[in-house]
Coordinates of all heavy atoms in Angstrom, one line a residue:
M1 N -4.0 8.4 13.1 CA -4.6 8.3 11.7 C -4.7 6.9 11.3 O -3.7 6.2 11.3 CB -3.8 9.2 10.8 CG -4.2 9.1 9.4 SD -3.2 10.1 8.2 CE -2.2 11.2 9.0
N2 N -5.9 6.5 10.9 CA -6.1 5.1 10.4 C -5.7 5.0 8.9 O -5.4 6.0 8.2 CB -7.5 4.6 10.7 CG -8.5 5.3 9.9 OD1 -8.3 5.7 8.8 ND2 -9.7 5.4 10.5
K3 N -5.7 3.7 8.4 CA -5.3 3.5 7.0 C -6.1 4.2 6.0 O -5.6 4.8 5.0 CB -5.4 1.9 6.8 CG -4.9 1.5 5.5 CD -3.5 1.1 5.5 CE -3.1 0.4 4.2 NZ -1.7 0.3 4.1
V4 N -7.4 4.3 6.2 CA -8.3 4.9 5.2 C -8.0 6.4 5.2 O -7.9 7.0 4.1 CB -9.8 4.7 5.5 CG1 -10.7 5.5 4.6 CG2 -10.1 3.2 5.4
E5 N -7.8 7.0 6.4 CA -7.5 8.5 6.4 C -6.2 8.8 5.7 O -6.1 9.8 5.0 CB -7.4 9.0 7.9 CG -8.8 9.0 8.6 CD -8.7 9.3 10.1 OE1 -7.6 9.1 10.6 OE2 -9.7 9.6 10.7
K6 N -5.2 7.9 5.9 CA -3.9 8.0 5.2 C -4.1 8.0 3.7 O -3.5 8.8 3.0 CB -3.0 6.9 5.7 CG -1.6 7.1 5.3 CD -0.7 6.0 6.0 CE 0.7 6.3 5.6 NZ 1.6 5.2 6.2
I7 N -4.9 7.0 3.2 CA -5.2 6.9 1.8 C -5.9 8.2 1.3 O -5.6 8.7 0.2 CB -6.0 5.6 1.5 CG1 -5.1 4.4 1.8 CG2 -6.5 5.6 0.1 CD1 -5.8 3.1 1.8
Q8 N -6.9 8.7 2.1 CA -7.6 9.9 1.7 C -6.6 11.0 1.5 O -6.7 11.8 0.5 CB -8.7 10.2 2.7 CG -9.8 9.2 2.7 CD -10.8 9.4 3.8 OE1 -10.5 10.0 4.8 NE2 -12.0 9.0 3.6
R9 N -5.7 11.2 2.4 CA -4.8 12.3 2.4 C -3.8 12.1 1.2 O -3.5 13.1 0.5 CB -4.0 12.4 3.7 CG -4.9 12.9 4.8 CD -4.1 13.0 6.1 NE -5.0 13.2 7.2 CZ -5.7 14.3 7.5 NH1 -5.5 15.4 6.8 NH2 -6.4 14.3 8.6
E10 N -3.4 10.9 0.9 CA -2.6 10.7 -0.3 C -3.3 11.0 -1.6 O -2.7 11.6 -2.5 CB -2.1 9.2 -0.3 CG -1.1 8.9 0.7 CD -0.7 7.4 0.7 OE1 -0.8 6.7 -0.4 OE2 -0.3 6.9 1.7
A11 N -4.6 10.7 -1.6 CA -5.4 11.0 -2.8 C -5.5 12.5 -3.0 O -5.4 13.0 -4.1 CB -6.8 10.4 -2.7
C12 N -5.7 13.2 -1.9 CA -5.8 14.7 -1.9 C -4.5 15.3 -2.4 O -4.6 16.2 -3.3 CB -6.2 15.2 -0.6 SG -7.8 14.9 0.0
A13 N -3.4 14.8 -2.0 CA -2.1 15.3 -2.4 C -1.9 15.0 -3.9 O -1.4 15.9 -4.6 CB -1.0 14.8 -1.5
K14 N -2.2 13.8 -4.3 CA -2.0 13.4 -5.7 C -2.8 14.2 -6.7 O -2.3 14.5 -7.7 CB -2.3 11.9 -5.8 CG -2.1 11.3 -7.2 CD -2.4 9.8 -7.2 CE -2.3 9.3 -8.6 NZ -2.2 7.9 -8.7
Y15 N -4.1 14.5 -6.3 CA -5.0 15.1 -7.2 C -5.1 16.7 -6.9 O -5.9 17.3 -7.6 CB -6.3 14.5 -7.2 CG -6.3 13.1 -7.9 CD1 -6.0 12.0 -7.2 CD2 -6.6 13.0 -9.2 CE1 -6.0 10.7 -7.8 CE2 -6.6 11.8 -9.9 CZ -6.3 10.7 -9.1 OH -6.3 9.5 -9.8
G16 N -4.5 17.1 -5.9 CA -4.5 18.6 -5.6 C -5.9 19.1 -5.1 O -6.3 20.1 -5.6
V17 N -6.6 18.3 -4.3 CA -7.9 18.7 -3.8 C -7.8 18.7 -2.2 O -6.8 18.1 -1.7 CB -9.0 17.8 -4.2 CG1 -9.1 17.8 -5.8 CG2 -8.8 16.3 -3.7
T18 N -8.7 19.3 -1.6 CA -8.7 19.3 -0.1 C -9.5 18.1 0.4 O -10.4 17.6 -0.4 CB -9.4 20.6 0.4 OG1 -10.8 20.6 0.1 CG2 -8.7 21.8 -0.1
L19 N -9.3 17.7 1.6 CA -10.0 16.6 2.2 C -11.5 17.0 2.3 O -12.4 16.2 2.1 CB -9.4 16.2 3.5 CG -9.9 15.0 4.2 CD1 -9.8 13.8 3.3 CD2 -9.3 14.8 5.6
E20 N -11.7 18.2 2.7 CA -13.1 18.7 2.8 C -13.9 18.5 1.5 O -15.0 18.1 1.4 CB -13.1 20.2 3.1 CG -13.3 20.5 4.6 CD -13.3 22.0 4.8 OE1 -13.7 22.8 3.9 OE2 -13.0 22.4 5.9
D21 N -13.2 18.9 0.3 CA -13.8 18.7 -1.0 C -14.1 17.3 -1.3 O -15.2 16.9 -1.8 CB -13.0 19.4 -2.1 CG -13.0 20.9 -2.0 OD1 -13.9 21.4 -1.4 OD2 -12.1 21.5 -2.7
M22 N -13.1 16.4 -1.0 CA -13.2 15.0 -1.4 C -14.3 14.3 -0.5 O -15.1 13.5 -1.1 CB -11.9 14.3 -1.1 CG -12.0 12.9 -1.7 SD -10.4 12.0 -1.7 CE -10.3 11.6 0.0
L23 N -14.5 14.7 0.7 CA -15.5 14.1 1.5 C -16.9 14.9 1.5 O -17.9 14.4 2.0 CB -15.1 14.1 3.0 CG -13.8 13.3 3.3 CD1 -13.4 13.3 4.8 CD2 -14.0 11.8 2.8
G24 N -16.9 16.0 0.8 CA -18.1 16.8 0.7 C -18.9 16.5 -0.6 O -18.8 15.4 -1.1
K25 N -19.7 17.4 -1.0 CA -20.6 17.1 -2.1 C -20.1 17.5 -3.4 O -20.8 17.3 -4.4 CB -22.0 17.9 -1.8 CG -22.7 17.3 -0.6 CD -24.0 18.0 -0.4 CE -24.6 17.5 0.9 NZ -25.9 16.9 0.6
R26 N -18.9 18.1 -3.5 CA -18.4 18.5 -4.8 C -18.3 17.4 -5.8 O -17.9 16.3 -5.4 CB -17.1 19.2 -4.6 CG -17.2 20.5 -3.9 CD -16.0 21.3 -4.0 NE -15.7 21.6 -5.4 CZ -14.7 22.5 -5.7 NH1 -14.0 23.1 -4.8 NH2 -14.5 22.8 -7.0
R27 N -18.6 17.7 -7.1 CA -18.5 16.6 -8.1 C -17.8 17.0 -9.3 O -17.9 16.4 -10.4 CB -20.0 16.2 -8.5 CG -20.7 15.6 -7.3 CD -22.0 15.0 -7.7 NE -22.8 15.7 -8.7 CZ -23.9 15.3 -9.2 NH1 -24.5 14.3 -8.7 NH2 -24.5 16.0 -10.1
D28 N -16.9 18.0 -9.2 CA -16.1 18.3 -10.3 C -15.1 17.2 -10.6 O -14.8 16.4 -9.7 CB -15.4 19.7 -10.2 CG -14.6 19.9 -9.0 OD1 -15.2 20.0 -7.9 OD2 -13.3 19.9 -9.1
Q29 N -14.6 17.2 -11.8 CA -13.8 16.0 -12.3 C -12.6 15.7 -11.4 O -12.4 14.5 -11.1 CB -13.3 16.3 -13.7 CG -12.7 15.2 -14.4 CD -12.3 15.5 -15.8 OE1 -12.5 16.6 -16.3 NE2 -11.8 14.5 -16.6
R30 N -11.8 16.6 -11.0 CA -10.7 16.4 -10.2 C -11.0 15.8 -8.8 O -10.4 14.8 -8.3 CB -9.9 17.7 -10.0 CG -8.4 17.4 -9.7 CD -7.7 18.7 -9.8 NE -8.3 19.7 -8.8 CZ -7.9 20.9 -8.7 NH1 -6.9 21.4 -9.5 NH2 -8.5 21.7 -7.9
V31 N -12.1 16.3 -8.2 CA -12.5 15.8 -6.9 C -13.0 14.3 -7.0 O -12.7 13.5 -6.2 CB -13.6 16.7 -6.3 CG1 -14.2 16.1 -5.0 CG2 -13.0 18.1 -6.0
V32 N -13.8 14.1 -8.0 CA -14.4 12.8 -8.3 C -13.3 11.8 -8.6 O -13.3 10.6 -8.1 CB -15.4 12.8 -9.4 CG1 -15.9 11.3 -9.7 CG2 -16.6 13.6 -8.9
A33 N -12.3 12.2 -9.3 CA -11.1 11.3 -9.6 C -10.4 10.9 -8.4 O -10.0 9.8 -8.2 CB -10.2 12.0 -10.7
A34 N -10.2 11.9 -7.5 CA -9.5 11.7 -6.2 C -10.3 10.7 -5.4 O -9.7 9.8 -4.8 CB -9.2 13.0 -5.5
R35 N -11.6 10.9 -5.3 CA -12.5 10.1 -4.5 C -12.5 8.6 -5.0 O -12.3 7.7 -4.3 CB -13.9 10.7 -4.5 CG -14.8 10.1 -3.5 CD -16.2 10.7 -3.6 NE -16.1 12.1 -3.3 CZ -16.7 13.1 -4.0 NH1 -17.4 12.9 -5.1 NH2 -16.6 14.4 -3.5
R36 N -12.5 8.5 -6.4 CA -12.5 7.2 -7.0 C -11.2 6.4 -6.7 O -11.2 5.2 -6.3 CB -12.6 7.3 -8.5 CG -14.0 7.4 -9.0 CD -13.9 7.2 -10.5 NE -14.9 8.1 -11.1 CZ -14.8 8.7 -12.2 NH1 -13.7 8.6 -12.9 NH2 -15.8 9.5 -12.6
W37 N -10.1 7.1 -6.8 CA -8.8 6.5 -6.6 C -8.7 6.1 -5.1 O -8.2 5.0 -4.9 CB -7.7 7.5 -6.9 CG -6.3 7.0 -6.8 CD1 -5.6 6.3 -7.8 CD2 -5.5 7.1 -5.7 NE1 -4.4 6.0 -7.3 CE2 -4.3 6.4 -6.0 CE3 -5.6 7.6 -4.4 CZ2 -3.2 6.3 -5.1 CZ3 -4.6 7.5 -3.5 CH2 -3.4 6.9 -3.9
A38 N -9.1 6.9 -4.2 CA -9.0 6.6 -2.8 C -9.9 5.4 -2.4 O -9.5 4.6 -1.6 CB -9.4 7.8 -2.0
I39 N -11.1 5.4 -3.0 CA -12.1 4.3 -2.7 C -11.5 3.0 -3.2 O -11.5 2.0 -2.5 CB -13.5 4.6 -3.2 CG1 -14.2 5.7 -2.4 CG2 -14.3 3.3 -3.3 CD1 -15.5 6.2 -3.0
K40 N -11.0 3.0 -4.4 CA -10.4 1.8 -5.0 C -9.3 1.3 -4.1 O -9.2 0.1 -3.8 CB -9.9 2.1 -6.4 CG -9.2 0.9 -7.0 CD -8.6 1.2 -8.4 CE -7.8 0.0 -8.9 NZ -7.2 0.3 -10.2
R41 N -8.4 2.2 -3.8 CA -7.2 1.8 -3.0 C -7.6 1.3 -1.6 O -7.1 0.3 -1.1 CB -6.2 2.9 -2.9 CG -4.9 2.5 -2.3 CD -3.8 3.4 -2.7 NE -2.7 3.0 -1.8 CZ -1.8 3.9 -1.4 NH1 -1.8 5.1 -1.8 NH2 -0.8 3.5 -0.6
A42 N -8.5 2.0 -0.9 CA -8.9 1.7 0.4 C -9.6 0.3 0.4 O -9.4 -0.5 1.3 CB -9.9 2.7 1.0
Y43 N -10.4 0.1 -0.6 CA -11.1 -1.2 -0.7 C -10.1 -2.4 -0.9 O -10.2 -3.4 -0.2 CB -12.1 -1.2 -1.9 CG -12.8 -2.5 -2.1 CD1 -13.9 -2.8 -1.3 CD2 -12.5 -3.4 -3.1 CE1 -14.6 -4.0 -1.4 CE2 -13.2 -4.6 -3.2 CZ -14.3 -4.9 -2.4 OH -15.0 -6.0 -2.6
A44 N -9.1 -2.1 -1.7 CA -8.1 -3.2 -2.0 C -7.2 -3.4 -0.8 O -6.8 -4.6 -0.6 CB -7.3 -2.8 -3.2
E45 N -6.8 -2.4 -0.1 CA -5.8 -2.5 1.0 C -6.4 -2.8 2.4 O -5.7 -3.3 3.2 CB -5.0 -1.3 1.0 CG -4.1 -1.1 -0.2 CD -3.2 0.1 -0.2 OE1 -3.0 0.6 1.0 OE2 -2.6 0.4 -1.2
T46 N -7.6 -2.4 2.6 CA -8.2 -2.6 4.0 C -9.1 -3.8 4.2 O -9.3 -4.2 5.3 CB -8.9 -1.3 4.4 OG1 -10.1 -1.1 3.6 CG2 -8.0 -0.1 4.4
G47 N -9.8 -4.2 3.1 CA -10.7 -5.3 3.2 C -12.0 -4.9 3.9 O -12.8 -5.7 4.3
L48 N -12.2 -3.5 4.0 CA -13.4 -3.1 4.7 C -14.6 -3.3 3.8 O -14.5 -3.3 2.5 CB -13.3 -1.6 5.0 CG -12.4 -1.1 6.1 CD1 -12.3 0.4 6.1 CD2 -12.8 -1.7 7.4
S49 N -15.8 -3.4 4.4 CA -17.0 -3.6 3.6 C -17.3 -2.3 2.9 O -16.9 -1.2 3.2 CB -18.2 -4.0 4.5 OG -18.5 -2.9 5.3
T50 N -18.2 -2.4 1.9 CA -18.6 -1.2 1.2 C -19.4 -0.2 2.1 O -19.3 1.0 1.9 CB -19.4 -1.5 -0.1 OG1 -20.6 -2.3 0.3 CG2 -18.6 -2.2 -1.1
T51 N -20.1 -0.8 3.0 CA -20.8 0.0 4.0 C -19.8 0.9 4.8 O -20.0 2.1 5.0 CB -21.7 -0.8 4.9 OG1 -22.6 -1.5 4.1 CG2 -22.4 0.0 5.9
R52 N -18.8 0.2 5.4 CA -17.8 0.9 6.2 C -17.0 1.9 5.4 O -16.7 3.0 5.9 CB -16.9 -0.1 6.9 CG -17.6 -0.9 7.8 CD -16.8 -1.1 9.1 NE -17.5 -2.0 10.0 CZ -18.0 -1.6 11.1 NH1 -17.9 -0.4 11.5 NH2 -18.6 -2.5 11.9
L53 N -16.7 1.6 4.1 CA -16.0 2.6 3.3 C -17.0 3.8 3.0 O -16.5 4.9 2.9 CB -15.6 1.9 2.0 CG -14.3 1.1 2.0 CD1 -14.0 0.5 0.7 CD2 -13.1 2.0 2.5
G54 N -18.2 3.5 2.8 CA -19.2 4.6 2.6 C -19.2 5.5 3.8 O -19.2 6.7 3.6
W55 N -19.1 5.0 5.0 CA -19.1 5.8 6.2 C -17.8 6.7 6.2 O -17.8 7.9 6.5 CB -19.1 5.0 7.5 CG -20.4 4.3 7.8 CD1 -21.6 4.5 7.2 CD2 -20.6 3.2 8.6 NE1 -22.5 3.7 7.7 CE2 -21.9 2.8 8.6 CE3 -19.7 2.5 9.5 CZ2 -22.5 1.8 9.3 CZ3 -20.2 1.4 10.2 CH2 -21.6 1.1 10.1
A56 N -16.7 6.1 5.8 CA -15.4 6.8 5.8 C -15.4 7.9 4.8 O -14.7 8.9 5.0 CB -14.3 5.8 5.6
F57 N -16.1 7.7 3.7 CA -16.1 8.7 2.6 C -17.4 9.6 2.6 O -17.6 10.3 1.7 CB -15.9 8.0 1.3 CG -14.5 7.6 1.0 CD1 -14.1 6.4 1.4 CD2 -13.6 8.4 0.4 CE1 -12.8 5.9 1.2 CE2 -12.3 8.1 0.2 CZ -11.9 6.8 0.6
R58 N -18.2 9.4 3.7 CA -19.5 10.1 3.8 C -20.4 9.9 2.6 O -21.0 10.8 2.0 CB -19.2 11.6 4.0 CG -18.4 11.9 5.2 CD -18.3 13.4 5.4 NE -17.3 13.6 6.5 CZ -16.7 14.8 6.7 NH1 -16.9 15.8 5.9 NH2 -15.9 14.9 7.7
R59 N -20.4 8.6 2.1 CA -21.2 8.2 1.0 C -22.0 7.0 1.4 O -21.7 6.3 2.3 CB -20.3 7.9 -0.2 CG -19.5 9.0 -0.7 CD -20.3 10.0 -1.5 NE -19.6 11.1 -2.1 CZ -19.3 12.2 -1.5 NH1 -19.5 12.4 -0.2 NH2 -18.7 13.2 -2.1
D60 N -23.0 6.7 0.5 CA -23.8 5.5 0.7 C -23.0 4.3 0.1 O -22.1 4.5 -0.8 CB -25.1 5.7 -0.2 CG -26.0 4.5 0.0 OD1 -26.7 4.4 1.0 OD2 -26.0 3.7 -1.0
H61 N -23.2 3.1 0.6 CA -22.4 2.0 0.1 C -22.7 1.8 -1.4 O -21.8 1.2 -2.1 CB -22.8 0.7 0.9 CG -24.1 0.1 0.6 ND1 -25.3 0.6 1.0 CD2 -24.3 -1.0 -0.2 CE1 -26.2 -0.2 0.5 NE2 -25.7 -1.1 -0.2
C62 N -23.8 2.2 -1.9 CA -24.1 2.0 -3.3 C -23.2 2.9 -4.1 O -22.8 2.5 -5.2 CB -25.5 2.3 -3.6 SG -26.7 1.2 -2.9
T63 N -22.8 4.0 -3.6 CA -21.9 4.9 -4.3 C -20.5 4.3 -4.3 O -19.8 4.4 -5.4 CB -21.8 6.3 -3.6 OG1 -23.1 6.8 -3.5 CG2 -20.9 7.3 -4.3
V64 N -20.1 3.6 -3.3 CA -18.9 2.9 -3.2 C -18.9 1.8 -4.3 O -17.9 1.7 -5.0 CB -18.6 2.4 -1.8 CG1 -17.3 1.5 -1.8 CG2 -18.4 3.5 -0.8
L65 N -19.9 1.1 -4.4 CA -20.0 0.0 -5.4 C -19.9 0.6 -6.8 O -19.3 0.0 -7.6 CB -21.4 -0.7 -5.2 CG -21.5 -1.7 -4.0 CD1 -22.9 -2.2 -3.9 CD2 -20.5 -2.8 -4.2
Y66 N -20.6 1.7 -7.0 CA -20.5 2.4 -8.3 C -19.1 2.7 -8.7 O -18.6 2.5 -9.8 CB -21.4 3.6 -8.3 CG -21.3 4.4 -9.5 CD1 -22.0 4.1 -10.7 CD2 -20.5 5.6 -9.6 CE1 -21.9 4.8 -11.8 CE2 -20.4 6.3 -10.7 CZ -21.1 6.0 -11.9 OH -21.0 6.7 -13.0
H67 N -18.4 3.4 -7.7 CA -17.0 3.7 -8.0 C -16.1 2.5 -8.2 O -15.2 2.5 -9.0 CB -16.4 4.6 -6.8 CG -16.9 6.0 -6.8 ND1 -16.8 6.8 -7.9 CD2 -17.4 6.8 -5.9 CE1 -17.3 8.0 -7.7 NE2 -17.7 8.0 -6.4
L68 N -16.3 1.5 -7.5 CA -15.5 0.3 -7.7 C -15.7 -0.3 -9.1 O -14.7 -0.7 -9.7 CB -15.8 -0.8 -6.6 CG -15.4 -0.5 -5.2 CD1 -15.9 -1.6 -4.2 CD2 -13.9 -0.3 -5.1
G69 N -16.9 -0.3 -9.6 CA -17.2 -0.8 -10.9 C -16.7 0.2 -12.0 O -16.1 -0.2 -13.0
R70 N -16.8 1.4 -11.7 CA -16.4 2.5 -12.7 C -14.9 2.6 -12.9 O -14.4 2.9 -13.9 CB -17.0 3.8 -12.2 CG -16.5 4.9 -13.1 CD -17.6 5.9 -13.3 NE -17.0 6.9 -14.2 CZ -17.7 7.8 -14.8 NH1 -19.0 7.9 -14.5 NH2 -17.2 8.7 -15.5
I71 N -14.2 2.3 -11.8 CA -12.7 2.5 -11.9 C -12.0 1.2 -12.3 O -10.8 1.1 -12.1 CB -12.2 3.1 -10.6 CG1 -12.5 2.2 -9.4 CG2 -12.6 4.5 -10.4 CD1 -12.0 2.8 -8.1
G72 N -12.7 0.3 -12.7 CA -12.1 -0.9 -13.3 C -11.6 -1.9 -12.3 O -10.7 -2.7 -12.5
M73 N -12.3 -2.0 -11.1 CA -11.9 -3.1 -10.2 C -12.2 -4.4 -10.9 O -11.4 -5.3 -10.7 CB -12.8 -3.0 -8.9 CG -12.4 -2.0 -7.9 SD -10.7 -2.3 -7.2 CE -11.0 -3.6 -6.1
G74 N -13.3 -4.5 -11.7 CA -13.6 -5.6 -12.5 C -13.9 -6.9 -11.6 O -14.1 -7.9 -12.2
D75 N -13.7 -6.8 -10.3 CA -13.9 -7.9 -9.5 C -14.4 -7.5 -8.1 O -13.6 -7.1 -7.3 CB -12.6 -8.7 -9.4 CG -12.7 -9.9 -8.6 OD1 -13.7 -10.1 -7.9 OD2 -11.8 -10.7 -8.7
Y76 N -15.6 -7.5 -7.9 CA -16.2 -7.1 -6.6 C -16.2 -8.4 -5.7 O -17.1 -9.2 -5.9 CB -17.5 -6.5 -6.7 CG -18.2 -6.3 -5.3 CD1 -17.7 -5.4 -4.5 CD2 -19.2 -7.1 -4.9 CE1 -18.2 -5.2 -3.2 CE2 -19.8 -6.9 -3.7 CZ -19.3 -6.0 -2.8 OH -19.8 -5.9 -1.6
R77 N -15.2 -8.6 -5.0 CA -15.0 -9.8 -4.1 C -15.1 -11.1 -5.0 O -15.7 -12.1 -4.6 CB -16.1 -9.9 -3.0 CG -15.9 -8.7 -2.0 CD -15.0 -9.1 -0.9 NE -15.2 -8.2 0.2 CZ -14.2 -7.5 0.7 NH1 -13.0 -7.7 0.2 NH2 -14.4 -6.6 1.6
G78 N -14.6 -11.0 -6.2 CA -14.5 -12.1 -7.1 C -15.8 -12.4 -7.9 O -15.9 -13.4 -8.5
R79 N -16.7 -11.5 -7.9 CA -18.0 -11.8 -8.6 C -18.3 -10.8 -9.7 O -18.8 -11.3 -10.7 CB -19.1 -11.8 -7.5 CG -19.0 -13.0 -6.6 CD -20.2 -13.0 -5.6 NE -20.3 -11.9 -4.8 CZ -19.7 -11.7 -3.6 NH1 -18.9 -12.6 -3.1 NH2 -19.9 -10.6 -2.9
A80 N -18.2 -9.6 -9.5 CA -18.7 -8.6 -10.5 C -17.7 -8.4 -11.6 O -16.6 -7.8 -11.4 CB -19.1 -7.3 -9.8
T81 N -17.9 -8.9 -12.7 CA -17.0 -8.7 -13.9 C -17.6 -7.8 -14.9 O -17.0 -7.6 -16.0 CB -16.6 -10.0 -14.5 OG1 -17.8 -10.7 -14.9 CG2 -15.9 -10.9 -13.5
G82 N -18.8 -7.4 -14.7 CA -19.5 -6.6 -15.7 C -20.2 -7.4 -16.8 O -20.8 -6.9 -17.7
E83 N -20.1 -8.7 -16.6 CA -20.8 -9.6 -17.6 C -22.2 -9.9 -17.1 O -22.5 -9.8 -15.9 CB -20.1 -10.9 -17.7 CG -18.6 -10.7 -18.2 CD -17.8 -12.0 -18.1 OE1 -18.4 -13.0 -17.8 OE2 -16.6 -11.9 -18.3
P84 N -23.1 -10.1 -18.0 CA -24.5 -10.4 -17.6 C -24.5 -11.7 -16.7 O -23.8 -12.6 -16.9 CB -25.2 -10.8 -18.9 CG -24.4 -10.1 -20.0 CD -23.0 -10.1 -19.5
G85 N -25.2 -11.5 -15.6 CA -25.3 -12.6 -14.6 C -24.1 -12.8 -13.7 O -23.9 -13.8 -13.1
A86 N -23.2 -11.8 -13.7 CA -21.9 -11.9 -13.0 C -22.1 -11.9 -11.5 O -21.2 -12.3 -10.8 CB -20.9 -10.8 -13.4
L87 N -23.2 -11.4 -11.0 CA -23.4 -11.3 -9.6 C -24.2 -12.6 -9.1 O -25.2 -12.5 -8.5 CB -24.2 -10.1 -9.2 CG -23.4 -8.8 -9.4 CD1 -24.3 -7.6 -9.1 CD2 -22.2 -8.7 -8.4
G88 N -23.6 -13.7 -9.4 CA -24.2 -14.9 -8.9 C -25.6 -15.2 -9.5 O -26.5 -15.8 -8.8
G89 N -25.8 -14.8 -10.7 CA -27.1 -15.0 -11.4 C -28.2 -14.1 -11.0 O -29.4 -14.2 -11.3
L90 N -27.9 -13.0 -10.3 CA -28.8 -12.0 -9.9 C -29.4 -11.3 -11.1 O -28.6 -10.9 -12.0 CB -28.2 -11.0 -9.0 CG -29.0 -9.8 -8.4 CD1 -30.1 -10.4 -7.5 CD2 -28.2 -8.8 -7.7
R91 N -30.7 -11.2 -11.2 CA -31.3 -10.6 -12.4 C -32.2 -9.5 -12.0 O -32.8 -9.6 -10.9 CB -32.1 -11.7 -13.2 CG -31.2 -12.8 -13.7 CD -32.0 -13.8 -14.4 NE -32.6 -13.3 -15.5 CZ -32.4 -13.6 -16.8 NH1 -31.6 -14.6 -17.0 NH2 -33.0 -13.1 -17.8
W92 N -32.3 -8.5 -12.8 CA -33.1 -7.4 -12.5 C -34.4 -7.4 -13.4 O -34.3 -7.7 -14.5 CB -32.4 -6.1 -12.7 CG -31.2 -6.0 -11.8 CD1 -29.9 -6.3 -12.2 CD2 -31.1 -5.6 -10.5 NE1 -29.0 -6.1 -11.1 CE2 -29.8 -5.7 -10.1 CE3 -32.1 -5.2 -9.5 CZ2 -29.4 -5.4 -8.8 CZ3 -31.7 -4.9 -8.3 CH2 -30.3 -5.0 -7.9
G93 N -35.5 -7.0 -12.8 CA -36.7 -6.9 -13.6 C -37.4 -8.2 -13.7 O -37.1 -9.2 -13.1
R94 N -38.4 -8.2 -14.6 CA -39.1 -9.5 -14.8 C -38.6 -10.2 -16.0 O -38.2 -9.6 -17.0 CB -40.6 -9.1 -15.0 CG -41.2 -8.5 -13.8 CD -42.7 -8.3 -14.0 NE -43.3 -8.0 -12.7 CZ -44.5 -8.2 -12.4 NH1 -45.3 -8.6 -13.3 NH2 -45.0 -8.0 -11.2
D95 N -38.8 -11.5 -16.0 CA -38.5 -12.3 -17.1 C -39.6 -12.5 -18.1 O -40.7 -12.4 -17.7 CB -38.0 -13.8 -16.7 CG -36.7 -13.7 -16.0 OD1 -35.9 -12.9 -16.4 OD2 -36.5 -14.5 -15.0

């Protein structure tokens, strides 16, 4: 069992959900909370890219980024703080 799988199992035990539910399509509050917690912890402890974490959680890397921002990481590799222009001046849309 690798580090991510161990974290996933800990999240399931902590939130009382099954691994199938957490890796599946369910979106009820308890399952999403377990998934968020596991993604945050796996990101912090493993140093895996969001793409690789997405594979581990059967999600797109954008979903992983969403969860990292939503659960208060506040710092995506030292850049995303939720402030305007926090991603190195990246801007969306037209000026």
